[in-house]
Amino acid sequence: MSLHARKIRMIMNLRRAGLTDTNVLNAIERIPRELFVLDSFHDQAYEDQALPISHGQTISQPQIVAQMTEALDVKKTHKVLEIGTGSGYQAAVLSKLCRRLYTIERYKSLLAEAEQRFHHLRLHNITSRCSDGSCGWREQAPFDRIIVTAAAAEVPEALVEQLAVGGILVIPVGPERGDQMLVKLTKAEDGSLTAKMIADVRFVPLVGGALPEGEGRPVPRRMEN
């Protein structure tokens, strides 16, 4: 089966799973996921599974990407902050939906690879930097939307502070080896948060601090079905 046919099958499966936001599905369809995975995983790029990338990190399964993006409810006028650039796939999808995307990654070499993909795809509304994502990006706050692609033991206060009134924060919450829940938080005028539980998930942990070039865990071997 060709990659194009696999992509169409993936979109159909997302619809069957209850993901109905046309803008989100169109954004996912426009981004070539095979560019964001390791070469040895190209044939699995459109399967509904998480895949390894460098530094022991992962690219989330398409259904989780779609769920998180749909929950974020991004509009064309929005300024969005992403914590955990990873391969850049989630950022690329979001860039098709918002005015400006800011993304933070703690691994310098991982970020450099993602930036090359953004340049190749001509995604010019993405601004990135290597730093501690749990601290957010104070100079660019407030953000209309914030998305975190790693699990936090608790919601970082800095991200709540940098979220605009009426803004939405989507984040996995829970311990690394325990139950994790994908949570949607909406900020009221008085600064309080309303929480909605979306799904049980499994993410790598949110870790503070930026790392020097080349530091991290080795790339795992190919996963088999």
Side-chain angles (χ1 to χ4, degrees):
M1 184 184 294
S2 69
L3 283 176
H4 178 71
R6 293 178 189 216
K7 177 187 283 191
I8 296 303
R9 183 183 65 181
M10 179 191 76
I11 296 296
M12 292 175 62
N13 287 340
L14 291 177
R15 289 184 179 278
R16 292 191 191 100
L19 295 149
T20 58
D21 189 315
T22 302
N23 291 331
V24 172
L25 293 173
N26 286 344
I28 291 173
E29 188 171 0
R30 292 167 65 189
I31 300 300
R33 193 169 186 259
E34 67 272 16
L35 296 185
F36 296 83
V37 304
L38 300 172
D39 290 345
S40 57
F41 288 90
H42 272 193
D43 62 335
Q44 298 181 54
Y46 293 104
E47 300 301 318
D48 193 37
Q49 60 188 34
L51 296 172
I53 57 177
S54 55
H55 298 299
Q57 305 300 295
T58 59
I59 177 173
S60 295
Q61 65 195 83
Q63 185 170 328
I64 292 296
V65 172
Q67 277 186 312
M68 294 182 76
T69 306
E70 192 166 278
L72 209 60
D73 191 23
V74 179
K75 309 300 182 187
K76 277 291 185 182
T77 58
H78 283 165
K79 181 165 66 171
V80 180
L81 174 65
E82 179 194 38
I83 307 302
T85 313
S87 70
Y89 180 68
Q90 176 73 79
V93 171
L94 288 170
S95 75
K96 297 295 186 182
L97 299 168
C98 67
R99 176 176 61 85
R100 172 64 61 178
L101 178 75
Y102 294 85
T103 183
I104 299 174
E105 173 57 50
R106 69 188 297 258
Y107 291 98
K108 290 182 180 179
S109 57
L110 198 57
L111 182 60
E113 292 170 5
E115 289 172 338
Q116 289 177 353
R117 296 182 181 108
F118 300 154
H119 178 74
H120 174 73
L121 294 172
R122 299 181 179 180
L123 304 176
H124 301 306
N125 63 336
I126 300 176
T127 303
S128 57
R129 78 174 184 185
C130 183
S131 68
D132 183 348
S134 62
C135 296
W137 199 323
R138 195 170 301 278
E139 301 90 333
Q140 296 296 338
F143 296 96
D144 301 296
R145 301 289 188 265
I146 299 177
I147 184 171
V148 183
T149 61
E154 56 186 31
V155 180
E157 186 59 36
L159 299 185
V160 175
E161 292 174 358
Q162 293 171 35
L163 185 65
V165 171
I168 293 172
L169 167 61
V170 173
I171 181 172
V173 179
E176 179 178 2
R177 290 182 173 82
D179 295 333
Q180 297 176 2
M181 176 63 66
L182 187 62
V183 182
K184 174 181 178 179
L185 300 168
T186 305
K187 191 173 185 178
E189 287 189 12
D190 62 1
S192 63
L193 297 172
T194 301
K196 179 181 179 180
M197 308 303 159
I198 299 174
D200 294 321
V201 291
R202 175 65 58 201
F203 277 82
V204 296
L206 178 65
V207 181
L211 293 178
E213 185 71 25
E215 186 172 329
R217 286 174 285 180
V219 177
R221 292 180 294 176
R222 177 183 174 87
M223 290 180 177
E224 300 295 340
N225 291 329

